[in-house]
Amino acid sequence: MKFRFYSSLKQPQNKGAALVLVLAFVVLLSGLVVAYLSQTSTDRRLAKSSFEDTSADLLARSALDIVVGDFKQEIVDGSTSASPPYTPTSNANVVPMRSGNPGTVPNLIRRSVRSDGLVAPAVPSRASAVNSSTDVSVNGRSVSLDRWNTHYLIPKSDTSNDDPAPVTSFIAPDWVIVSRGGPSVQTGIGTGSSALNNAANGNLNYVIGRYAYAVYDEGGLLDVNVAGFPSPTPAPVTYVGRKGVIAFADLTALPTTGSSFVSNTVINRIIGWRNYATVQPTGTFPSFTFTAAATSNFVNYFLDTSRDFRTVATNLSSNRTDQGFITRAELIKLRSDTGAGAATMLQYLGTFSRESNHSTWGNSGTELAGRFPLSRFDLFAITPPNNAAAIQQYFGLNYVPASGPTAEHWRYCGTSGNTLLSAIPSVSGNSQSPDLFPLLKYALPTGTSISEILSIGASLIDQRDQNDDTTWIEFGDPAAPQKAFGVDKNASTEPGAPPPPSTLLVLNRDFRNVGELGYAYKNGSTSLDFRTAGSSDAPLLDLFTYNTATPRSGIVNLNTQNIYVLAAILMGAITTESSSATVPRTAATPAATSIINATTSLPAIGRQDVARLASAVTHSTFTPNEETKETTARALAEVGQTRTWGLMIDVIAQTGRYPPNAASLANFVVEGEKRYWLHVAIDRFTGQIIDQQLEPVYE
Amino acid sequence: MLVAVAILTLLILLFARFLNSASTITTLGTKRIDADSSARPLLDRMGVDFSQMVKRSDVSYFVKTQTNTQVGNDQIAFYSAVTGYYPSPSKQSPVSLVAYRVNSDSTSPSYNKVERMGKGLIWSGASPTYIPILFLAPAGAPTTTIDNIWPAATNSSTSDSDYELVGPHVFRFEYYYLLTMGALSPGPWTSTNTVAIKDVAAIVVAIAAIDPKSKVLVTNSQIATIAGSLSDYTASMGPGQLLAGWQSALDGITGIPRQVISNIRLYERYFYLSPTQ
């Protein structure tokens, strides 16, 4: 029986049925499990990828916060007080300290660098001895030198093509290693519970990522949203030659390939796109041409004294508007798409600039509410004045028409009433908006007489009014008033009036820039001095303004190290008003070099330093006489500033870890990466961020 | 023989039950993964678009404001420095018009699904036909708004060839703002032309997704009913309250199979626009 049962199981039709069934179930189950595991595995990888992206983004933003925070700390530590206003302790501290710069990259302020040589007040970068370019990660990741220059802010090694490869002297930033405890300099992986690769809870040294960065002086570049004018050059030459706004920077001063410079065709492509509705060029993108009417539209737009240029015009033409460069990437693409010049020109151009239109001289940052608008002198364009009330408000003068032998003149009575004053009020308190004469008293050396101050004011009026008669102002004792005389072509017939100087230039037009105040006289023979280092008249350069908007775009940091930026500003400036002679490129570049040498040895702390910078220019175009010497002040002061740090921070952040077998700091495993260009404007004197723009970089 | 058969039967039953349990577990897991797989790329895509949003005071936005409260599913349209579908292979600018909506056209195959418009814009001045990015003009009452120029970008049912399906299983889309001063807001501006995007620290997006297996159990009309029961964000809500409210609303829904409701998944993500000051 036992044999039979065993035998029956051995029947072919029954043999293995159970096994087959069980195997079938196992196969089914295995298939189900494998499919599920496959799906979950894929999902897990996708979720991890998404997580790493987000982590890298957060790390990059944190890195930017740290870098910006370091700059803010540098401002505080480099100032005379720990609270605003942050007055620099020395001229050297008005600019951010430079580090890791080989000297051949004028735009580079600093990079994350090992053994950072930055000293107080600057904060070192915390970078470790791992280079982002040469020290390749365990999984083969590195940041090439080309990638570090995709913004083209570093001079290219080969100017004949679009390859972003930087000059060989540029060294890529080192990594700042970030552990659970934050960023700090690391010297090795370490061992045991405090090792960088030990993920045990409580190990603050466990590394979660790293970042590297480079900071560029975007505030020292020409903001291409404002800079540049079309060709044919707006006529007459005085439109451009009198400067006053950065739009009249001559971009043909910018070198491109070999001995070539940016062409007018290239500039027209940019302007035609940028100011399409305002200027209304003919032709289609990118081949625009400009008529005289178009260039006139251009001039009228940019000479608007209240425009801040942070937004584009609200003009509409053929259902199209003007354009603005939204990002640096857009500028790079426009140049590439239109063939607008060589890529090397991009190292002179920025897309983001902001500045508080406020003085820095002395305590004026807090004591004054703002700069004195030059346009107020337009109230004197004709006499009798159209707006006597405004003249009294802004100048403290009352008009007296001609009567008998006495010519028309002004009485100094202050901002109210009609009683002659024998003294000029002093500026006291904060955020004051003084009228002209207290402002002049505030700016000029203590002890300057009321007569001299009123004479300067009268001379400024003579420069602006449209007649040739010398302006004079009564002041002092009403019973025996004194007289202060300006300087104009026709001497005053009043007793005691000085004769006009033998060589006299009177503008008889509106002021275009603050440097033109230098045409005015402070007595019968001496003009205001904006050409000598240490000039007591220089503070006026900082206290007056043509453009009144604040904050505003398109103002260049006077301490820029970029020669050709200053050369573009100087090129085309009128050196001699009577002949409309202008500064050629061959003079602008050496003049710019002289200025940069001067600011390198002693940074400019305010616009008043422009007089010192003018004295540093020794090229023959600038030196024949006082007027030519002050060309630098006329071209530079109005479009220059020192109080804002305009930075572009290029940061690359990588999340990841050190594996258990990591032997050196280079053995990092990269899991996620994010890159940003942060454009930020920090007010050096208040520590506030005026504005910022975060530009994600996708490569 | 009988013993063998009995053991075999027991084994079969055991395996069948085991298989059934495994199947149930994997099905539930798969549904969750399907919903996640639908939501994640949508949210990631939004992340890319928002991070490159053109944030200026002189360009137009179509976003939720006090005068554009957007009852039900929300819409958003803005310029972003991302590539899109260009009308021409040349003269392509780096800026696109991006819009998100839940299609409300019941005749469309995308009905009750999230669509994204990625309209690539060409350089200004390159064509009289194709419209580039336009800045706000003229002053006072600008006509160059997204709403005016590209009405399909601001309408939930108008068709446009540049719309593509990006959230086939997402049927509810709501957003609100985290302002730079720290408050949550449904939109503090008085009109779409006064949007001060720099006041926004983050855009908070909430979505509801349903997996495809559950979706076949309900009609589009029922999906619309479910979407309608998920309330709009209001100014009184704090962090997390919108999704909590949505979950309560789902729990209270009757007349729709429970297994469908239980497989609706809710997501919320903060998209930070600006670095801290």
Side-chain angles (χ1 to χ4, degrees), chain A residues 207-249:
Chain A
V207 169
I208 57 172
R210 59 185 185 176
Y211 66 86
Y213 67 88
V215 183
Y216 300 90
D217 182 18
E218 190 171 20
L221 303 180
L222 296 164
D223 187 341
V224 73
N225 281 306
V226 190
F229 56 86
S231 176
T233 303
V237 67
T238 49
Y239 273 145
V240 170
R242 287 173 185 157
K243 302 289 182 174
V245 288
I246 207 70
F248 297 137

Side-chain angles (χ1 to χ4, degrees), chain A residues 14 18 95 101 120 163 185 213 243 245 311 361 389 602 623 674:
Chain A
N14 296 331
V95 293
N101 188 341
D163 182 357
V185 178
Y213 67 88
K243 302 289 182 174
V245 288
T311 57
W361 177 78
L602 186 66
T623 54
K674 187 72 180 180

Side-chain angles (χ1 to χ4, degrees), chain A residues 272-281 315-317 320-322:
Chain A
W273 172 82
R274 185 184 76 189
N275 301 112
Y276 185 84
T278 296
V279 176
Q280 299 177 27
N315 297 321
L316 197 59
S317 174
R320 298 291 183 267
T321 63
D322 279 6

Side-chain angles (χ1 to χ4, degrees), chain A residues 58-412:
Chain A
L58 291 173
L59 181 62
R61 287 170 180 262
S62 299
L64 288 169
D65 285 345
I66 290 168
V67 176
V68 172
D70 286 348
F71 277 105
K72 285 183 166 181
Q73 191 63 51
E74 183 178 344
I75 287 172
V76 175
D77 292 348
S79 301
T80 54
S81 71
S83 58
Y86 296 116
T87 305
T89 51
S90 68
N91 285 53
N93 291 336
V94 78
V95 293
M97 295 181 74
R98 295 193 170 224
S99 177
N101 188 341
T104 52
V105 189
N107 296 330
L108 179 62
I109 291 175
R110 68 180 63 154
R111 61 187 171 93
S112 49
V113 58
R114 66 189 75 183
S115 305
D116 199 342
L118 278 177
V119 294
V123 181
S125 64
R126 306 177 187 84
S128 300
V130 197
N131 189 263
S132 59
S133 184
T134 56
D135 293 322
V136 182
S137 74
V138 169
N139 50 348
R141 302 287 292 274
S142 65
V143 184
S144 68
L145 290 171
D146 286 17
R147 279 189 70 201
W148 277 115
N149 196 28
T150 50
H151 42 56
Y152 293 97
L153 287 174
I154 306 169
K156 282 158 39 61
S157 61
D158 184 350
T159 59
S160 66
N161 56 34
D162 286 356
D163 182 357
V167 287
T168 53
S169 56
F170 173 75
I171 302 170
D174 293 324
W175 290 112
V176 178
I177 295 171
V178 183
S179 66
R180 286 173 179 159
S184 58
V185 178
Q186 303 290 350
T187 54
I189 298 296
T191 57
S193 59
S194 62
L196 304 189
N197 56 355
N198 187 336
N201 284 340
N203 178 19
L204 293 179
N205 286 335
Y206 182 67
V207 169
I208 57 172
R210 59 185 185 176
Y211 66 86
Y213 67 88
V215 183
Y216 300 90
D217 182 18
E218 190 171 20
L221 303 180
L222 296 164
D223 187 341
V224 73
N225 281 306
V226 190
F229 56 86
S231 176
T233 303
V237 67
T238 49
Y239 273 145
V240 170
R242 287 173 185 157
K243 302 289 182 174
V245 288
I246 207 70
F248 297 137
D250 194 333
L251 303 188
T252 63
L254 307 178
T256 54
T257 303
S259 58
S260 300
F261 292 83
V262 173
S263 70
N264 284 319
T265 303
V266 166
I267 299 169
N268 279 359
R269 289 181 177 185
I270 295 173
I271 307 294
W273 172 82
R274 185 184 76 189
N275 301 112
Y276 185 84
T278 296
V279 176
Q280 299 177 27
T282 54
T284 58
F285 178 92
S287 302
F288 297 108
T289 54
F290 296 83
T291 62
T295 56
S296 178
N297 291 339
F298 178 91
V299 167
N300 291 335
Y301 172 73
F302 281 99
L303 287 182
D304 185 334
T305 56
S306 61
R307 200 177 293 283
D308 64 22
F309 303 111
R310 292 186 300 159
T311 57
V312 305
T314 52
N315 297 321
L316 197 59
S317 174
S318 303
N319 295 320
R320 298 291 183 267
T321 63
D322 279 6
Q323 299 287 311
F325 287 100
I326 294 163
T327 60
R328 182 163 187 86
E330 185 177 27
L331 167 64
I332 293 167
K333 189 172 191 308
L334 182 89
R335 189 215 63 82
S336 174
D337 285 2
T338 62
T344 190
M345 68 182 268
L346 295 169
Q347 65 182 297
Y348 313 112
L349 304 176
T351 55
F352 181 90
S353 64
R354 299 286 187 273
E355 186 239 7
S356 293
N357 190 0
H358 205 295
S359 56
T360 58
W361 177 78
N363 295 320
S364 62
T366 51
E367 291 174 342
L368 299 182
R371 289 179 167 132
F372 191 95
L374 290 173
S375 58
R376 287 180 182 168
F377 285 97
D378 295 344
L379 292 165
F380 296 98
I382 57 168
T383 52
N386 284 333
N387 193 342
I391 288 179
Q392 181 155 22
Q393 179 185 354
Y394 298 130
F395 296 88
L397 298 176
N398 286 342
Y399 177 71
V400 181
S403 174
T406 305
E408 66 173 8
H409 60 280
W410 300 88
R411 302 175 79 239
Y412 181 59

Side-chain angles (χ1 to χ4, degrees), chain B residues 39-74:
Chain B
R40 189 184 306 114
L42 171 63
L43 293 172
D44 286 351
R45 182 67 245 179
M46 284 181 173
V48 172
D49 290 335
F50 284 137
S51 72
Q52 299 189 85
M53 174 191 281
V54 175
K55 295 181 279 286
R56 295 174 60 110
S57 61
D58 55 357
V59 297
S60 170
Y61 300 86
F62 184 81
V63 293
K64 223 164 23 174
T65 64
Q66 289 178 13
T67 53
N68 180 22
T69 53
Q70 303 195 8
V71 177
N73 275 318
D74 290 346

